[in-house]
Amino acid sequence: MTSWRPRLVVLDLDGTTVGLNQVSPTPRVRRAVAAAIRAGVPVSVATGRPVWAALPTMTELGLAVGAGGDEPEALSVVCSNGALVYDMVAHRAVHRRLVDPGPAVRALAKVRPEAGFAVEDGLAGYRYTAQFARDFPSTYLAEVDLEELATIPTTRLCGRIPGVPIPTAHTQCEVAASWVVAAELDPERYSYEIGYAGWVDVAAPGVNKGSGVALLARDLGIDAEDVLVIGDGSNDLSMFAWAGRSIAMGQAPPEVQAAADEVTLPVEEDGVAHVLERWFG
């Protein structure tokens, strides 16, 4: 493994490249990403954020420009937990998996009538119900009632139980996990990820970061064994299982660290840069 060198690097954002709900990576992380790109190795992102929320951070990482300020090269990134692969240069979706949110939102609302919901509306922003807590930076298009929301085909349905505080660590929310189990979503129609602060993401079956990164690598002609992925959350486990080499952040939960090939420094200590400098320092 000492001679191994990645041909593609894929980074999670929140808790990996930046702190939770932050925008700007540190100068050291930006330098490390730029060094990899200059070395001819594509650097991409796989995030739970929708495109519009991920773009500022991805732009600061330099993922829409060529090495040394050259003309941009085609580069895609994975957003919405794998439901959408977005071309940063052409500004369009190159892969998109839509889902009918209706049965899922009704099942979740039956278990938790107080819950709020939102759906991603294309690349534009969220449509949301009145109970959906909008206490994080994003683009909010319009409030709709539950039945209207249930009719909008989407890359992702988001459900959130109100009153659950945002944690300091990127850990699964037990309340949200119990909620989605009680709703008994049909696995033939849906996949899901458990977030924090009472949050559940629902997508098409088989959609996860691993499936999104696989599409990205296929488009680049790169085999799984040549891909390095770095992350910190349970939604990163699917890409850990798929990629040739996986690295967990130092503050990641124990089950995430156990699933990785190795563990780097925490996000507060620029763990991503610490890894990339091994090959591109």
Side-chain angles (χ1 to χ4, degrees), residues 176-270:
S178 298
W179 178 30
V180 76
V181 169
E184 298 182 332
L185 300 186
D186 182 355
E188 297 294 321
R189 302 188 68 169
Y190 299 110
S191 61
Y192 63 85
E193 296 281 0
I194 307 300
Y196 54 90
W199 190 292
V200 172
D201 283 337
V202 180
V207 167
N208 52 48
K209 284 191 181 183
S211 68
V213 173
L215 289 171
L216 169 68
R218 186 193 70 184
D219 290 348
L220 292 171
I222 296 174
D223 295 332
E225 64 187 19
D226 294 319
V227 179
L228 169 69
V229 297
I230 309 178
D232 76 308
S234 60
N235 62 341
D236 296 314
L237 295 177
S238 58
M239 69 176 185
F240 280 15
W242 178 85
R245 187 147 185 88
S246 58
I247 299 181
M249 300 299 290
Q251 84 288 348
E255 63 272 16
V256 175
Q257 294 191 23
D261 294 310
E262 66 175 273
V263 178
T264 186
L265 298 173
V267 64
E268 297 85 0
E269 299 178 40
D270 292 335

Side-chain angles (χ1 to χ4, degrees), residues 5 30-43 66-70 280-281:
R5 186 174 187 265
R30 291 198 300 268
R31 288 194 300 268
V33 168
I37 295 171
R38 285 195 301 272
V41 175
V43 179
D70 297 333
F280 311 113

Side-chain angles (χ1 to χ4, degrees), residues 46-219:
T47 179
R49 296 187 193 183
V51 168
W52 59 85
L55 278 173
T57 299
M58 295 188 298
T59 300
E60 287 203 27
L61 284 170
L63 301 188
V65 298
D70 297 333
E71 286 298 311
E73 299 178 358
L75 175 72
S76 296
V77 293
V78 178
C79 293
S80 302
N81 280 328
L84 188 142
V85 181
Y86 179 80
D87 187 321
M88 288 285 290
V89 176
H91 305 295
R92 64 182 181 88
V94 292
H95 300 286
R96 189 197 314 250
R97 287 285 305 278
L98 296 177
V99 66
D100 171 11
V105 75
R106 294 184 187 101
L108 289 164
K110 183 177 180 180
V111 175
R112 286 278 191 169
E114 77 278 20
F117 296 92
V119 292
E120 296 176 354
D121 191 345
L123 303 177
Y126 285 119
R127 298 195 183 274
Y128 56 92
T129 64
Q131 298 92 336
F132 186 74
R134 290 174 286 131
D135 56 354
F136 58 97
S138 195
T139 302
Y140 301 101
L141 299 176
E143 181 181 317
V144 296
D145 63 32
L146 192 67
E147 282 308 309
E148 181 178 350
L149 181 138
T151 67
I152 301 171
T154 185
T155 43
R156 175 169 58 173
L157 163 70
C158 304
R160 191 170 177 194
I161 300 169
V164 182
I166 297 176
T168 57
H170 200 171
T171 56
Q172 279 194 345
C173 175
E174 293 183 4
V175 174
S178 298
W179 178 30
V180 76
V181 169
E184 298 182 332
L185 300 186
D186 182 355
E188 297 294 321
R189 302 188 68 169
Y190 299 110
S191 61
Y192 63 85
E193 296 281 0
I194 307 300
Y196 54 90
W199 190 292
V200 172
D201 283 337
V202 180
V207 167
N208 52 48
K209 284 191 181 183
S211 68
V213 173
L215 289 171
L216 169 68
R218 186 193 70 184
D219 290 348

